[in-house]
Amino acid sequence: MVRLSKPSFLPDPFLLCLIATVAGASFAPVRGAAIPWVEAATDFAIALLFFLHGAKLSRAAVLAGAGNWRLHLYVLASTYILFPAIGLSLVALLRGYGDGLRLTGLLYLSLLPSTVQSSIAFTAIAGGNVAAAVCSASLSNIVGIILTPLLVGLFMAVDGGGSGFSWHSVQAIALQLLVPFLAGHLLRPWIAAFIDRHKKLLMPVDRGSILLVVYTAFSAAVVGGIWSQVGIADLLLLLLLSLLMLIIVMGANLGLARLVGLPRADMIVLLFCGSKKSLVSGVPMAGALFPAAQVGVIILPLMIFHQIQLFLCAALAGRFARGGARLQRPALPRTGAEIEGAAQRRGMTIGKPCMAGVSANLALLDRHADTLFAAGKA
């Protein structure tokens, strides 16, 4: 049976859902007495989302990749040093040319943690070190629950963009995101089997929670007059700046990987885990860190960056996968039985006096193959 694959030019379904949610909030924003109910539902959805993230995180998978500490440091440095440096530089350069609140959103984007699911998925497609990707992406996300609010308080308070940040927000985020995450992970021994059996039923929770948060945020922004502040030119500028930021980070990570001599599999981890920003974490954090009327404008750069990173990383993962297919390790017979079997399949007979020499030559070829394969993947 022939399966038709989705054409590559079709937009991501989640992007269409995001656009529909923003349109819905624009034409029918939540108002009045309904606001507390929608906010309560949003808080519950976010807590459930992070509870399930904690429950799905395999401790064994994390420990399997934990030994590659140098790679994890590179990923954290890319996420929390390189990205913020670029964000601060862009804000400083554009201070007199762009709206302060949208620039605040661009800076906020640069301070967020990496994604988890898509980073691991793209690493696996590209033939990278999946165990290290699980550890790096999970570590970045957990660290970000605490570190991102601290960075927001440090840089945005200095920036003076009127972000409305308060240090009480750190406690609110820890309570809303970290506590459910830890609870889910601690309960994993008892609920992991249930979650694995019902993956398809639980899958909509991830995206449904984000869509609910986006709807709530844009409802408040629409009531505050967001579309009188943001035009097509602003969206195009954010698109270009997001693309520029992503290209700079990816180029820097590739350069670092070559400089320090990372193996190909680890280079792929740094490329994908070190260049992503989490919509799942960023949207609810923005709701806790900023006034409701500002959240819609502030998360606009994040929503744009999210789609750009999916398109670009999907293309790169496919290219790495095709390149990796050309680097498949040739299988050579090693034992006497394997050598005799390979010879018989080709209609040949190897006499006992020749076996030692054939075995030694094949061992030499095997070592050369290992060397060439490692060099090709570096």
Side-chain angles (χ1 to χ4, degrees), residues 5-191:
S5 59
K6 187 183 78 170
S8 59
F9 57 81
L10 291 181
D12 177 48
F14 186 51
L15 172 63
L16 299 179
C17 291
L18 280 173
I19 294 173
T21 301
V22 172
S26 300
F27 289 105
V30 62
R31 299 177 184 268
I35 293 177
W37 293 96
V38 174
E39 289 179 344
T42 302
D43 291 342
F44 174 78
I46 293 170
L48 178 61
L49 170 67
F50 278 83
F51 177 85
L52 292 176
H53 279 191
K56 288 186 287 188
L57 180 61
S58 168
R59 203 170 307 167
V62 172
L63 291 176
N68 204 340
W69 59 268
R70 188 176 64 145
L71 175 61
H72 304 321
L73 289 179
Y74 291 150
V75 171
L76 289 175
S78 176
T79 304
Y80 295 113
I81 297 177
L82 177 59
F83 256 115
I86 297 172
L88 287 167
S89 300
L90 289 176
V91 168
L93 289 172
L94 298 170
R95 191 181 300 276
Y97 300 95
D99 176 79
L101 199 55
R102 286 190 289 281
L103 293 180
T104 296
L106 194 67
L107 179 56
Y108 173 68
L109 159 68
S110 71
L111 306 178
L112 289 171
S114 177
T115 61
V116 178
Q117 289 98 328
S118 61
S119 293
I120 297 169
F122 286 131
T123 298
I125 292 170
N129 186 341
V130 176
V134 171
C135 187
S136 276
S138 302
L139 179 62
S140 172
N141 219 254
I142 294 170
V143 168
I145 292 176
I146 300 299
L147 187 56
T148 293
L150 297 178
L151 292 175
V152 168
L154 175 64
F155 293 126
M156 291 190 171
V158 173
D159 180 60
S163 65
F165 171 84
S166 68
W167 289 102
H168 178 71
S169 303
V170 178
Q171 180 181 355
I173 290 174
L175 184 63
Q176 188 178 24
L177 306 186
L178 185 59
V179 171
F181 180 89
L182 294 176
H185 190 62
L186 291 174
L187 291 174
R188 176 176 166 77
W190 295 277
I191 64 177

Side-chain angles (χ1 to χ4, degrees), residues 270-344:
L270 177 58
L271 179 66
F272 290 123
C273 294
S275 64
K276 308 289 279 301
K277 289 297 179 179
S278 175
L279 185 72
V280 172
S281 298
V283 174
M285 281 187 188
L289 290 169
F290 305 100
Q294 296 181 2
V295 171
V297 180
I298 288 174
I299 65 173
L300 260 180
L302 174 59
M303 294 172 63
I304 292 171
F305 186 90
H306 173 77
Q307 196 58 36
I308 292 174
Q309 71 183 9
L310 289 182
F311 279 134
L312 189 54
C313 289
L316 287 173
R319 183 171 180 178
F320 276 113
R322 291 189 294 272
R326 295 191 294 268
L327 294 170
Q328 293 299 315
R329 169 68 163 82
L332 297 177
R334 299 188 180 189
T335 66
E338 290 176 351
I339 294 172
E340 288 181 356
Q344 289 173 1

Side-chain angles (χ1 to χ4, degrees), residues 182-201:
L182 294 176
H185 190 62
L186 291 174
L187 291 174
R188 176 176 166 77
W190 295 277
I191 64 177
F194 174 83
I195 290 175
D196 290 339
R197 286 196 306 269
H198 299 85
K199 283 183 178 179
K200 290 186 177 180
L201 292 176

